[in-house]
Amino acid sequence: MRVSVALFTADLRVHDNPVLCAALKDAERVVPLFVVDTGIRRTGFVVPNRAAFLADSLADLDAALRARGGRLVVREGDVVEETCRVAARTGAATVHIAGGVSRYATRRENRLRAELSGAGRELRVHDASLTTVPPGALTPAGKDHFAVFTPYFRRWETFSVRRVLPAPDAVRVPDIRSAGLPRAQSLAPGPTSPALPAGGESEARRTLRSWLAGPLAAYEDRHDDLAADATSRLSPYLHFGCLSPTELLHRARAQDNPGAHAFVRQLAWRDFHHQVLAARPDAADHDYRPRHDRWRHATKDIKAWQEGRTGYPVVDAAMRQLRHEGWMPGRARLLAASFLTKTLYVDWRVGARHFLDLLVDGDIANNQLNWQWVAGTGTDTRPGRVLNPLTQARRFDPHDEYVHRWLPELRPVDAPHSGGDYPAPIVDLASATARFTSARQTATS
Ligand SMILES: Cc1cc2nc3c(=O)[nH]c(=O)nc-3n(C[C@H](O)[C@H](O)[C@H](O)COP(=O)(O)OP(=O)(O)OC[C@H]3O[C@@H](n4cnc5c(N)ncnc54)[C@H](O)[C@@H]3O)c2cc1C
């Protein structure tokens, strides 16, 4: 009897899962495997917020597999060793895995391929699993990746995206031992944000349905309105693969309206950053375009920024939302990141690390490359622009609703839960902008 292994990584779903479908196609029995990887835990990437979301997602995946006659097989240890052990124990000829783009994922893939082939087994990597357009599928003449979004997007729009795969009806698992489903606290002990979203494919599909049924159509007009909370909040489901980006793309495209077009463009940004990281894995922690910055070591300023006490309300509201929800809308991320890297002139890696400590959708490709974009060390074609937090607040929170939601001390005195001390601005905007501009001129001249 032929057996294969479907090794789940960032694709924790049964709908539109190329890895699971291919494993089921080439064998009568499949091991749906998840390895609680001690290697990834050593990198510091597994933090309480994402651990909670992951634990939810694994429990939901197990339930979906059980509803199809199968179950999730869980192991703990080194991902390569455990996968090879499971393959040997079940006599699996092939292991299927989604192609990843981070250094960690590439190394895992290379080690797996070498170990499996040494034992006469095959690794099959499915590149159209985690993004809609596989990284590396589109390249400009003579280059290995696109460094600018607009030409990438033009090509991306014409790419023939694969069809959506149905969820399997049945999954038959061979006789093999499994550890229990991991609990969040054992994955990463520590407090989580009080208003974290629930993880898992079921929740992803509920969020997707309500998003497509209404708010998507208004996305173009409302996505930057901070108080409206009018973005999809699908990012954590995409990060863990509880939702397939390909299915999301097809379903959004089916609504031919300006909201859907604007939303599809955002999905292209996700693919764009993935193809940059795939080609330049060092961009996770090195400047993509070195500007030779001599960043400030400003411990007090960094702490004020992290705690949402800079004296600039819209920045502070964003940072408090991040702590409370493990999430913030894109506009809030942009202005908080610009404030740290340009107004305070602090290294983007400091901010990226803080975001990764809290974001439930914290993602190496999207986080590190967006931080670099904002800091002007990445792919932004206008690296010198500095966002003014006062102008940003006037445009995107004109009635102070967002600010009042997160900063009770600034609510009108007769409002419930108002009052408290609010700090004076920690920096003068005009001199901060001048400091940044002159630092960049000096560094690059
Ligand atoms: C400094 C900074 C850090 C960020 N860190 C992350 C991160 O760790 N993980 C993450 O998923 N996104 C990150 N983003 C991108 C973006 O802000 C979030 O994906 C988005 O705000 C999530 O909310 P949403 O799902 O409601 O997005 P929507 O506005 O509904 O957009 C839909 C989807 O498009 C994708 N998307 C939207 N904007 C971007 C973008 N700029 N880059 C890449 N993909 C995008 C996301 O997958 C998002 O879920 C970051 C942006 C900035 C400026």
Side-chain angles (χ1 to χ4, degrees):
M1 188 178 43
R2 250 182 99 81
V3 176
S4 62
V5 174
L7 177 58
F8 286 88
T9 54
D11 51 350
L12 306 179
R13 61 177 183 267
V14 294
H15 291 84
D16 193 42
N17 188 326
V19 169
L20 181 60
C21 281
L24 285 164
K25 206 167 163 198
D26 74 11
E28 288 95 50
R29 294 269 194 281
V30 167
V31 186
L33 176 65
F34 184 82
V35 181
V36 178
D37 183 5
T38 39
I40 216 166
R41 281 160 81 178
R42 273 197 298 275
T43 65
F45 187 71
V46 187
V47 296
N49 280 354
R50 285 194 296 283
F53 199 94
L54 173 62
D56 284 354
S57 303
L58 293 174
D60 194 64
L61 178 60
D62 182 51
L65 291 165
R66 283 180 191 275
R68 291 163 172 82
R71 67 199 155 90
L72 187 64
V73 173
V74 178
R75 291 298 180 95
E76 179 161 357
D78 175 77
V79 62
V80 174
E81 286 169 17
E82 288 304 317
T83 306
C84 291
R85 210 166 275 155
V86 167
R89 185 72 49 85
T90 55
T94 312
V95 173
H96 297 263
I97 188 174
V101 293
S102 67
R103 248 180 323 211
Y104 192 86
T106 313
R107 214 177 294 141
R108 173 177 64 199
E109 208 173 284
N110 291 340
R111 279 183 60 214
L112 259 177
R113 186 176 293 105
E115 294 285 325
L116 287 168
S117 78
R121 303 181 209 285
E122 190 196 356
L123 178 72
R124 278 188 54 202
V125 179
H126 300 270
D127 282 332
S129 298
L130 307 188
T131 51
T132 61
V133 173
L138 302 176
T139 50
K143 304 239 170 70
D144 63 354
H145 70 289
F146 276 92
V148 177
F149 178 73
T150 307
Y152 175 76
F153 182 56
R154 250 182 258 127
R155 290 273 302 280
W156 183 90
E157 278 190 298
T158 63
F159 186 84
S160 167
V161 176
R162 67 166 175 81
R163 279 184 312 110
V164 174
L165 304 165
D169 294 327
V171 178
R172 282 145 53 99
V173 180
D175 187 21
I176 174 125
R177 186 184 63 77
S178 171
L181 288 168
R183 286 180 316 114
Q185 284 296 311
S186 66
L187 291 170
T192 53
S193 293
L196 272 188
E201 183 175 18
S202 308
E203 198 53 42
R205 300 191 77 76
R206 263 193 292 278
T207 311
L208 173 66
R209 274 194 298 276
S210 55
W211 173 247
L212 296 174
L216 170 62
Y219 182 80
E220 193 194 20
D221 294 333
R222 302 187 70 206
H223 70 278
D224 270 336
D225 178 340
L226 288 166
D229 198 358
T231 67
S232 69
R233 289 187 178 250
L234 285 169
S235 51
Y237 302 104
L238 289 167
H239 169 71
F240 285 94
C242 304
L243 179 65
S244 144
T246 300
E247 181 181 356
L248 178 59
L249 176 65
H250 282 296
R251 296 184 66 173
R253 273 188 175 153
Q255 288 192 18
D256 190 9
N257 59 45
H261 297 162
F263 182 74
V264 162
R265 190 180 163 87
Q266 294 311 107
L267 297 180
W269 270 106
R270 183 175 177 275
D271 281 5
F272 173 73
H273 290 314
H274 279 76
Q275 58 95 44
V276 173
L277 190 67
R280 290 276 306 274
D282 61 309
D285 40 33
H286 290 88
D287 286 0
Y288 178 76
R289 293 189 198 286
R291 305 283 184 204
H292 311 291
D293 289 291
R294 297 175 65 182
W295 303 106
R296 291 173 64 237
H297 297 283
T299 319
K300 262 173 72 182
D301 288 355
I302 295 169
K303 194 157 181 278
W305 176 80
Q306 289 175 336
E307 291 175 353
R309 298 192 59 76
T310 66
Y312 287 94
V314 75
V315 174
D316 294 340
M319 297 307 289
R320 295 202 204 171
Q321 180 178 18
L322 171 62
R323 201 169 280 276
H324 191 78
E325 296 188 1
W327 182 88
M328 66 225 278
R331 176 56 49 183
R333 297 182 202 214
L334 278 175
L335 59 89
S338 172
F339 190 82
L340 185 77
T341 55
K342 288 178 169 167
T343 307
L344 297 179
Y345 199 41
V346 167
D347 194 336
W348 62 267
R349 280 156 280 245
V350 173
R353 179 67 250 176
H354 181 69
F355 270 32
L356 281 185
D357 284 345
L358 290 168
L359 278 177
V360 67
D361 62 24
D363 182 280
I364 297 295
N366 283 344
N367 190 59
Q368 310 307 90
L369 289 164
N370 270 298
W371 268 95
Q372 293 228 44
W373 189 88
V374 176
T377 59
T379 56
D380 188 5
T381 47
R382 289 169 56 204
R385 71 177 125 187
V386 180
L387 298 184
N388 179 319
L390 303 177
T391 319
Q392 290 282 305
R394 272 196 298 277
R395 274 186 72 187
F396 302 116
D397 187 32
H399 308 297
D400 292 334
E401 279 174 70
Y402 179 69
V403 158
H404 289 164
R405 191 176 302 155
W406 295 105
L407 304 179
E409 60 271 48
L410 290 184
R411 286 177 196 156
V413 275
D414 51 350
H417 314 295
S418 65
D421 284 340
Y422 186 68
I426 59 169
V427 67
D428 170 67
L429 291 181
S431 22
T433 303
R435 171 175 64 196
F436 169 74
T437 311
S438 119
R440 274 288 160 88
Q441 271 161 3
T442 319
T444 48
S445 60

